[in-house]
Amino acid sequence: MEESARVIYNVPFVIPIGYLIAIYFYITGLHMGFYTTSVVATLLNKQEWKPIGKIGAVGALIVLAVAPIFLLVDLTQMARFWHLFPYINLRSPITWGTFFLTAYPPIGLIYAWHVFRGNYRAAKIWGLCGFPVAVSVHGYTGFILALGAGRAFWNTSLNPILFLVSAMVSGLALIIIIINIRYYYFAKNEDAAQKAADLGIINTLVRMLYLFIIIELFLMGCDLAVLANSKAEEYQTYLLLTRGSWAPMFLGVELTLGGVIPLILLSIKRIRLHPVGQGIACLFILCGILAMRIIIVVGGQSVMLH
Amino acid sequence: MTNVRYGFVIDLRKCIGCHTCSIACKRENAVPLGVWRSWVKQVEKGSYPYIRKSFLPILCNNCESPICVTVCPVKASYQRQDGLVLVDPHRCIGCRYCMAACPYDVRFINPITPIVQKCDWCVHRLDRGLKPACVEACPTNARYIGNTHDPQSEVFRLIQSNPVIVMKPEMNTRPMVYYINADQLTMDARGGALWKRVHE
């Protein structure tokens, strides 16, 4: 009986969706983290949280202004991007993304305007109105992967949730870095009470970050467990991630550098309360989430299909 | 509504792995270097001195439920009533989502145009009553195309009277390329190497 076979001729497989899209997913994740933190800060309606609301609102607008550039550059027929508007296919997650990416900028601008003008009642209303859109701007990217039925690593309902959680992790990490920079370089003239409040806010954000890292690691563990005990293509993806060419990036950068090490650092009180410790942990997290996006998008297409 | 539903049958008992189909396809459709609409995968089975080669011609399955059509954001990929899945070259924006979503990896970016292309079973020939170039060129008549709804057609008879299998039936795409005498090791993307590793 023939037990195995060797493929001696086949056409080479290509990875259709590459690094630009992975970076786009990363940036929309940062956007969601920024916006969510900003809206939470606005809803709290406390004086000391107002700087966070402003940083988040502006940060969300800036990153979302950059993100579509990656999408456009990635198209092989860039001049035809406008086809996305008249030729709508409601079954395609990219079409959903077109709606969300178009709807967010005006809502985000109005929200930011009210936050900076100090109209907190209006800011709350617009913030809440924009929240589902802002979440969807990143959430739809998870659906792009989940509905890509041909790829075992993509085709899981965990992906949209994992993307949202990791977006919160990366957004919070970047906000903590920005707030620390603001606190130590631009808020020297603040009074002692405001400074103490700022430190309290940073602590709260770090705790939130810690919680989201745990959720993210749990979801990744679930994903891995299913891959390891599923069909041949899923198992091959599992091998690729744990023993194959993507193992150093997955185990080394995504899980260890971007997940376990920050978790350990933030568990130690002296490091958690120190701005340098927070900064290092957050930088590691940002690297880890970028690695995660690349692994899911590019690594997920690295399994031969024919 | 048309009652035509094209289907493709490849009789692997007859395939000799000569690649004439691949070359005929390249010539007919002006497929550039480095990309293929249709090709023949070659697999070596067994160990010395008991070795034998298997061939698996691969082409677009023109699935009954094509994922590529579902995910295309601009409806550049569409399905005709006779089941053929085509790409509108004037509408495709080159997002390549269809390529990533296709479970059979049979789509490619034409490096010259540059838009997504794939095997369309030589629709320009079918519409004129001709057979696809690969079917015409096959020296052993291993390839058949016809209406799967017509009991008088050759493909209907072959599908009904032979044990046929399709690629990745678990994907629920209902592929319309039927293989006679294909085996799991040849169909497997890694020639059964992974299968062996999992189960040994």
Side-chain angles (χ1 to χ4, degrees), chain B residues 8 47 60 71 73 77 81 89 100 108 110 119 121 127 129 135 171 173 195:
Chain B
F8 215 102
S47 52
C60 176
V71 300
S77 287
Q81 283 200 327
F108 59 90
N110 185 319
C119 166
W121 294 357
D127 286 348
V135 176
M171 295 305 302
T173 53
W195 185 88

Side-chain angles (χ1 to χ4, degrees), chain B residues 18-189:
Chain B
C18 64
H19 297 271
T20 305
C21 48
S22 313
I23 292 162
C25 171
K26 281 258 187 189
R27 195 186 59 177
E28 177 69 28
N29 296 294
V31 182
L33 281 173
V35 287
W36 293 264
R37 284 186 178 217
S38 159
W39 67 96
V40 182
K41 177 180 168 185
Q42 286 190 17
V43 171
E44 193 179 65
K45 296 194 284 189
S47 52
Y48 181 83
Y50 307 107
I51 291 179
R52 89 174 262 271
K53 269 188 191 173
S54 294
F55 308 105
L56 184 74
I58 297 177
L59 65 166
C60 176
N61 286 286
N62 283 282
C63 307
E64 191 110 42
S65 306
I67 298 172
C68 51
V69 171
T70 306
V71 300
C72 177
V74 294
K75 292 186 180 171
S77 287
Y78 63 99
Q79 190 170 33
R80 297 201 324 185
Q81 283 200 327
D82 56 14
L84 293 182
V85 175
L86 306 180
V87 180
D88 183 343
H90 305 294
R91 193 178 280 197
C92 175
I93 58 172
C95 68
R96 306 183 301 286
Y97 190 21
C98 55
M99 290 170 66
C102 173
Y104 311 100
D105 202 9
V106 290
R107 289 176 163 235
F108 59 90
I109 285 279
N110 185 319
I112 296 167
T113 34
I115 50 161
V116 171
Q117 289 188 336
K118 68 172 199 73
C119 166
D120 53 16
W121 294 357
C122 287
V123 63
H124 56 287
R125 291 174 63 91
L126 282 179
D127 286 348
R128 277 186 264 152
L130 301 169
K131 290 177 183 171
C134 57
V135 176
E136 204 76 76
C138 180
T140 59
N141 289 324
R143 302 164 82 105
Y144 304 85
I145 191 167
N147 183 4
T148 54
H149 290 177
D150 177 11
Q152 306 299 320
S153 74
E154 184 83 4
V155 292
F156 184 92
R157 187 186 62 77
L158 286 168
I159 293 168
Q160 298 300 323
S161 57
N162 289 283
V164 289
I165 58 171
V166 295
M167 289 182 88
K168 300 186 183 177
E170 72 279 5
M171 295 305 302
N172 204 26
T173 53
R174 291 188 278 166
M176 293 305 285
V177 175
Y178 297 88
Y179 294 92
I180 299 175
N181 208 38
D183 68 281
Q184 197 58 52
L185 287 179
T186 313
M187 289 280 206
D188 188 286

Side-chain angles (χ1 to χ4, degrees), chain A residues 147-184:
Chain A
L147 301 190
R151 312 285 169 172
F153 198 25
W154 291 9
N155 191 213
T156 159
S157 51
L158 267 185
N159 266 336
I161 305 287
L162 182 59
F163 264 47
L164 292 179
V165 172
S166 59
M168 281 308 298
V169 172
S170 61
L172 279 171
L174 191 54
I175 279 195
I176 289 169
I177 291 174
I178 293 170
I179 292 173
N180 267 316
I181 292 170
R182 177 189 166 275
Y183 179 77
Y184 287 98

Side-chain angles (χ1 to χ4, degrees), chain A residues 29 43 54 60-61 63 74 86 114 117 119-120 124 129 155 163 172-173 176 189 192 204 206 211 227 229 250 260 293:
Chain A
L43 289 178
K54 289 177 182 171
L61 282 173
V63 292
D74 186 66
H114 284 302
R117 293 276 295 182
N119 304 330
Y120 281 95
K124 275 182 195 173
C129 287
N155 191 213
F163 264 47
L172 279 171
I176 289 169
N189 299 328
T204 309
V206 168
L211 178 70
L227 286 174
N229 295 286
F250 178 68
V260 177
R293 301 285 191 254

